[in-house]
Amino acid sequence: MKVKLNDITLGERAREDYGDIDGLGESMSRLGQIQPIVIDEDNIIRAGGRRYTAAILLGWEEIDCVYMKDLNPLERKEVELEENIARKSFAWQEEVALKKEINELKKKIASSNGEEWKEEDTAKLLGDSRTNLYRDMQLATDLEEFPQLAEEKDKSTARTKARRLRDEKSREFLNIERGTVEGL
């Protein structure tokens, strides 16, 4: 259900750091509101303060909401806590693969329309630096070639191991080439 932003109150919130509201606003502007906010019977926000704040900055008049009625003070706090800790971010492996897939799909769509799409465009779309996007897409490619990288705890460690694996593969290739040349 949609509720007018002017009818909603932010209320007392545990979250003090709202982070990158401009980035969230850009996302909401581009993709719309993906998840509704949660309000109680008095139209006080119980979950979704960042989305509400971004919607105000965007100049929206209404926002999608879910009502939760008859919450006691403890339940109000539990809803806010669950909203912020129960979600699971992408694992680094999922993140790099998805960035690469989005870039490839954007290129394919642009090409079918006679247009060009560059990695710089994907970086801008995702709010990422070009360098970081390139590194993540390279890591996604490395994961395809060296599936054992998925066992690494983070992107940095996986990148280091990927460089080592690529170097080993290059040395093996050179040794094979040398053997072929020497055998002639």
Side-chain angles (χ1 to χ4, degrees):
M1 104 180 9
K2 293 229 183 239
V3 175
K4 291 185 182 292
L5 287 168
N6 291 337
D7 294 339
I8 298 171
T9 305
L10 191 55
E12 185 181 318
R13 311 280 297 153
R15 178 183 293 280
E16 295 176 10
D17 180 4
Y18 275 56
D20 182 13
I21 294 296
D22 291 334
L24 177 59
E26 289 174 23
S27 171
M28 289 172 62
S29 178
R30 190 175 78 252
L31 300 172
Q33 183 184 352
I34 296 171
Q35 182 177 358
I37 66 170
V38 177
I39 57 178
D40 65 16
E41 64 273 5
D42 297 319
N43 285 0
I44 298 173
I45 293 180
R46 295 300 162 204
R50 293 186 72 242
R51 283 164 282 177
Y52 168 80
T53 304
I56 288 174
L57 291 175
L58 289 170
W60 290 7
E61 293 184 19
E62 298 178 319
I63 192 166
D64 289 319
C65 297
V66 170
Y67 273 106
M68 292 187 86
K69 297 182 180 188
D70 301 321
L71 296 173
N72 66 41
L74 173 60
E75 291 169 329
R76 290 177 185 151
K77 295 298 180 185
E78 288 176 335
V79 167
E80 183 179 1
L81 181 63
E82 281 299 311
E83 161 83 358
N84 288 290
I85 66 168
R87 66 174 172 245
K88 181 176 182 331
S89 296
F90 278 122
W92 69 263
Q93 300 90 332
E94 297 163 327
E95 176 191 346
V96 298
L98 189 55
K99 285 180 178 181
K100 183 178 177 189
E101 287 179 47
I102 288 171
N103 184 65
E104 290 169 353
L105 286 169
K106 283 294 211 175
K107 282 185 170 201
K108 186 177 180 180
I109 291 166
S111 178
S112 70
N113 293 330
E115 299 170 353
E116 184 180 24
W117 186 268
K118 298 179 180 178
E119 283 77 10
E120 293 83 9
D121 299 318
T122 302
K124 184 176 179 183
L125 174 76
L126 300 176
D128 207 351
S129 72
R130 190 177 80 190
T131 301
N132 194 54
L133 177 69
Y134 279 124
R135 292 177 70 200
D136 283 353
M137 290 193 318
Q138 177 61 55
L139 186 52
T141 300
D142 290 336
L143 267 169
E144 292 167 6
E145 188 170 353
F146 307 111
Q148 66 268 36
L149 292 174
E151 298 169 14
E152 299 304 324
K153 65 179 176 153
D154 57 39
K155 289 192 280 187
S156 178
T157 307
R159 283 188 183 105
T160 300
K161 186 171 184 176
R163 277 190 301 274
R164 193 172 49 243
L165 291 169
R166 283 193 309 268
D167 289 347
E168 287 173 11
K169 189 173 182 178
S170 294
R171 281 191 298 276
E172 288 173 12
F173 177 76
L174 288 173
N175 288 336
I176 291 170
E177 286 294 307
R178 283 186 194 124
T180 304
V181 170
E182 290 173 4
L184 289 178

